Amino acid sequence: MSDWSLDLGGIVLRGVADEDPFRLPREVLFHRTDPSILARGAALDPLSVEPETDSLLLRIQVFVIEAAGRTFVVDGGVGDDKERPARSSWHRRKTDFLQRLGVAPEEVDGMLFTHLHADHVGWATRWQEGCWVPTFPRARYVTAAREFAHWAALDAVAPVGHGCFRDSVLPVAEAGLLDQVPDDHSPHPGIRFRPLPGHTPGQVGITLTGTKRQVLIAADAVHHPVQLAMPEIVSRFCSDAEQAVATRRALLAEAADEGLALVPHHARGRVVWNVTRDGDAFGLRDE
């Protein structure tokens, strides 16, 4: 698992792998698609497919933002010790992730959530003395209010997201550390949320504007490179398929036409996506 760093000018963005590769059968991620899509994905990123198992390869990662002496963690990966029996690689894990994060938990000022799926919230809490406690004790945990309300309503009926809302989100709220904010919130100069609904109702991306360059952490608006070539392909994990496609098409068009650099959450071979137009679809150019 390789980690990386980008100097944006006054803001440093790092990516720390929590699971890489994260292997999903093609039919599990993109239902009712043809095996030929693997070749289209491989043309954009050879590390994103595994043809011999008809699988798509993703990366689960956590971002660290360092800006003006403050440190923010973006999303929480899978986490350790979580009860995830439906996914063996996530179930009761024991890893060295916190050692590799590169910052002590007590030095983190904020944790920013793009959305509240199980592979994005796990490290918000850790198991300590028989209960789930916030991993970053000094941090404010920040989520779009619309996102929290959606999952809270569903979880009040039955556990959602492999149980992640109850073991990774609610303990933070109950500790009084969770802030529910508008989906264009700015937690710090040079850092701003922007709505990217569809994958979940309150999903946000995070725009980072440094003195050298600007990038957008694109969350799960684009899961896999094949969605550049075929933006209409929808993940089975999207709440609103039609909205997810509309958000993705608009985002990719903006990236291609205005030069907005994207940092998709699950990208493997390319950290930054510089998007180009390719007829009605999209491609990538090198840095």
Side-chain angles (χ1 to χ4, degrees):
M1 294 188 290
S2 60
D3 298 333
W4 52 264
S5 178
L6 290 175
D7 182 359
L8 307 178
I11 298 175
V12 174
L13 174 65
R14 295 192 288 112
V16 183
D18 194 35
E19 184 175 351
D20 186 11
F22 173 41
R23 181 180 288 100
L24 284 174
R26 172 184 50 80
E27 273 285 310
V28 170
L29 183 58
F30 297 139
H31 189 46
R32 296 177 180 171
T33 56
D34 189 271
S36 63
I37 72 168
L38 270 67
R40 302 192 71 172
L44 292 162
D45 179 2
L47 297 180
S48 71
V49 299
E50 190 175 71
E52 60 269 29
T53 61
D54 193 19
S55 295
L56 301 164
L57 302 181
L58 308 177
R59 170 184 169 97
I60 296 175
Q61 61 187 329
V62 173
F63 299 116
V64 178
I65 302 169
E66 297 166 351
R70 303 197 68 192
T71 300
F72 299 88
V73 170
V74 177
D75 284 356
V78 175
D80 277 5
D81 300 307
K82 304 293 165 100
E83 293 288 327
R84 305 287 187 260
R87 196 168 296 286
S88 61
S89 67
W90 296 2
H91 188 50
R92 300 179 181 175
R93 296 190 327 167
K94 300 286 186 183
T95 71
D96 64 349
F97 175 81
L98 284 180
Q99 286 69 48
R100 292 188 295 103
L101 187 62
V103 58
E106 61 272 13
E107 294 175 355
V108 174
D109 297 291
M111 187 172 195
L112 315 178
F113 295 114
T114 64
H115 61 295
L116 300 179
H117 276 170
D119 56 329
H120 291 258
V121 301
W123 281 108
T125 61
R126 54 181 166 176
W127 188 250
Q128 195 170 79
E129 298 181 0
C131 62
W132 295 109
V133 301
T135 299
F136 309 109
R138 289 183 50 252
R140 300 302 303 180
Y141 293 70
V142 185
T143 181
R146 178 167 49 157
E147 181 74 355
F148 183 87
H150 171 78
W151 295 112
L154 293 179
D155 194 77
V157 177
V160 295
H162 301 269
C164 75
F165 194 80
R166 297 187 181 187
D167 62 33
S168 301
V169 180
L170 282 182
V172 173
E174 291 165 354
L177 298 178
L178 185 72
D179 296 331
Q180 299 180 51
V181 300
D183 51 18
D184 62 351
H185 175 69
S186 176
H188 188 73
I191 305 173
R192 181 172 292 278
F193 287 7
R194 63 172 284 179
L196 293 174
H199 180 57
T200 67
Q203 177 177 250
V204 297
I206 301 177
T207 302
L208 304 178
T209 305
T211 59
K212 296 179 181 178
R213 66 188 303 187
Q214 181 183 78
V215 300
L216 173 70
I217 296 174
D220 287 3
V222 188
H223 272 93
H224 191 274
V226 74
Q227 290 175 298
L228 290 158
M230 306 173 72
E232 70 277 8
I233 291 181
V234 180
S235 156
R236 290 181 71 176
F237 308 115
C238 290
S239 295
D240 184 331
E242 185 176 347
Q243 179 65 69
V245 171
T247 292
R248 181 164 45 257
R249 286 190 180 278
L251 180 62
L252 293 176
E254 178 185 349
D257 296 344
E258 300 181 20
L260 176 63
L262 305 181
V263 180
H265 226 102
H266 295 296
R268 292 201 73 221
R270 294 176 184 249
V271 171
V272 178
W273 285 12
N274 296 296
V275 179
T276 60
R277 282 195 178 271
D278 183 11
D280 292 332
F282 300 90
L284 294 174
R285 61 174 173 80
D286 293 334
E287 284 274 277

